[in-house]
Amino acid sequence: MQLIDQLNNPQAKAYAKHCFEKKTTEELRAATNESPDPKVLSDWELTEGQYAEAITTALAEREA
């Protein structure tokens, strides 16, 4: 998880790891085009920007 480990924000890093382990490549691609679920933002203590960074990093890691 070289790319994920480079994330500076601990919440974004944790969510990116979760997404990498639990979501398929297709789910991650779809998530990059959707608005984040407010419950996910609240539960993971993420801003929309951190969410987007986590999703795109998890996707990049999976495709690397």
Side-chain angles (χ1 to χ4, degrees):
M1 288 190 229
Q2 185 177 5
L3 297 173
I4 292 173
D5 287 338
Q6 293 178 17
L7 292 174
N8 291 324
N9 181 276
Q11 288 90 349
K13 186 184 289 188
Y15 189 64
K17 285 182 180 181
H18 167 80
C19 290
F20 179 80
E21 293 170 353
K22 304 291 183 184
K23 296 185 182 289
T24 66
T25 302
E26 292 76 25
E27 289 171 324
L28 290 170
R29 275 196 199 110
T32 63
N33 297 316
E34 300 170 352
S35 296
D37 181 341
K39 182 165 176 28
V40 170
L41 296 179
S42 175
D43 289 351
W44 287 87
E45 299 178 4
L46 296 167
T47 65
E48 287 189 24
Q50 292 165 338
Y51 171 87
E53 182 179 36
I55 291 292
T56 56
T57 303
L59 179 60
E61 189 81 61
R62 185 169 292 284
E63 292 180 332

